Amino acid sequence: MKQTNNLIYFDNASTTRVNPRVLEVYNQTHLSSFANPSSIHKEGQRAFYLLSRTKEDILSLFKLKDYEVVYLSGATEANNLAIKGTALRYKNRGNHLITSTYEHPSVLEAFKQLENEFGFEVTYISPNHEGLITKEMVESVIKNNTILVSIMAVNNEIGSINPIDDISNLLEKYPKIVFHVDACQAIGKLEKEINYSKIDLLTISGHKIHGLVGSGALIKKKKIDLLPLNSGGGQEYNYRSGTEDLANASALLEAVKIALKDQKKNYMYVKSLADCLISYLNVHSDLFELNSPEKINPYIINFSTLTKKGSVVVEALSNANIMVSSTSACHSSKEKGSYVVKEIGKSDKVSNNTVRVSLDYTNTMEEVDIFISTLDKIIGEIR
């Protein structure tokens, strides 16, 4: 599944090209098992059985027991259900919530709504200069009335990898605190896999791993209860009422299988691409400032242009058929600069001129070389 010859696509943190095998599974399932899984007739029950099997298989891939999979439309819905569903269900235990200042907008906005509209107290932890939220930072703000901690696994703009295992080990001492992790940029993209069995709520998204846009899931411990955000027929354990999409679920399962199959090999390959680009940026430190920390997920590299406007460089690259981004796609049309880069202590000038290159195992070294030579040319030509 290589890129097309005339397009260099380096915006994989926003969305990935769908894998043909995922599309094949979706189409086959849609044609062969189209009945409503909630119907009591034979075909409906067969669809329900197949839907249940996809959930068992996903949990098996993540080596999880005593968990359940809630199929949703993607990460935004999963994060909202996890955060609001937990806070509103367990508000009798306490009203204090913890997250970080550089989370994905779907996390930050959910917390802001709970804070502004429902009276919850939220502590927002700022990352250190390496872009990390440490267990010590989390422990220092825990209160007697804390009921939820939500920390992303990999930051979607700078690629920093949070010590999720350390944080989950810490939170074992606080049994009334629910731990949620947005793992969208981590699934299939880490050298060392996270111990998911110590996380209460886990968000995954299909289109970040060559699955379909509109597919995702919240993987949750069975003992954790959530307040449903929509009401209806009670599907998905009553957490997401509405007719289940078996084809979409089957496609998500296939995407997860593919992502995890060659994870270490793909990681090392992408690292070789990232190392080449980072070396170029470091050599030209008078022109670029590297925002991604030294220890990163190599799938995401963030830098700022020091002598040119970042947005102009991104546009020029696009005109050269090289697709990169300046910030997260979920807020790039609304905000001038990167709040994530600003949160790790960078100046306004640096945070307002970011370029994010998000790589994938489908990219090639030749594409990296073309990107570097094109960037060189653009920096030289732009006034």
Side-chain angles (χ1 to χ4, degrees), residues 58-65 67 195-197:
I58 284 180
L59 293 178
S60 178
L61 288 169
F62 287 111
K63 301 179 177 62
L64 294 174
K65 295 181 180 179
Y67 281 73
N195 182 359
Y196 295 111
S197 66

Side-chain angles (χ1 to χ4, degrees), residues 241-341:
S241 292
T243 302
E244 303 100 325
D245 190 340
L246 172 59
N248 213 341
S250 301
L252 179 61
L253 169 61
E254 189 65 25
V256 173
K257 283 181 181 177
I258 293 170
L260 298 181
K261 181 183 177 183
D262 296 314
Q263 180 169 331
K264 288 188 177 180
K265 182 181 78 173
N266 290 339
Y267 176 92
M268 295 309 297
Y269 173 72
V270 172
K271 186 176 184 300
S272 70
L273 303 182
D275 287 346
C276 180
L277 178 53
I278 290 171
S279 177
Y280 163 78
L281 294 171
N282 285 333
V283 167
H284 298 280
S285 57
D286 57 325
L287 301 175
F288 310 106
E289 180 166 339
L290 188 62
N291 298 317
S292 293
E294 184 177 347
K295 295 180 180 179
I296 59 166
N297 175 339
Y299 286 75
I300 299 174
I301 301 167
N302 190 298
F303 64 92
S304 292
T305 54
L306 299 179
T307 61
K308 313 294 180 183
K309 288 190 66 175
S311 58
V312 175
V313 172
V314 170
E315 182 180 1
L317 287 166
S318 177
N319 291 336
N321 235 17
I322 300 174
M323 307 302 145
V324 300
S325 63
S326 54
T327 59
S328 166
C330 290
H331 79 284
S332 59
S333 62
K334 298 179 181 179
E335 297 192 23
K336 180 180 178 182
S338 168
Y339 70 89
V340 171
V341 173

Side-chain angles (χ1 to χ4, degrees), residues 87 90-98 119-123 141-148 174 176-177:
Y90 294 113
K91 61 182 179 180
N92 61 313
R93 292 183 183 178
N95 73 329
H96 181 238
L97 318 172
I98 298 171
F120 284 88
E121 178 190 359
V122 182
T123 296
V141 296
I142 290 176
K143 301 181 179 183
N144 290 333
N145 62 339
T146 303
I147 58 172
L148 172 65
Y174 303 90
K176 79 171 185 178
I177 297 178

Side-chain angles (χ1 to χ4, degrees), residues 195-261:
N195 182 359
Y196 295 111
S197 66
K198 292 189 176 183
I199 297 169
D200 297 312
L201 301 168
L202 182 72
T203 292
I204 66 174
S205 175
H207 76 106
K208 307 295 187 183
I209 50 173
H210 298 284
L212 300 174
V213 173
S215 68
L218 181 65
I219 301 176
K220 61 176 287 295
K221 282 185 177 177
K222 289 182 178 179
K223 69 178 184 179
I224 303 296
D225 193 17
L226 303 172
L227 184 74
L229 301 187
N230 61 333
S231 303
Q235 291 90 344
E236 293 300 292
Y237 316 105
N238 200 40
Y239 294 127
R240 212 268 188 161
S241 292
T243 302
E244 303 100 325
D245 190 340
L246 172 59
N248 213 341
S250 301
L252 179 61
L253 169 61
E254 189 65 25
V256 173
K257 283 181 181 177
I258 293 170
L260 298 181
K261 181 183 177 183

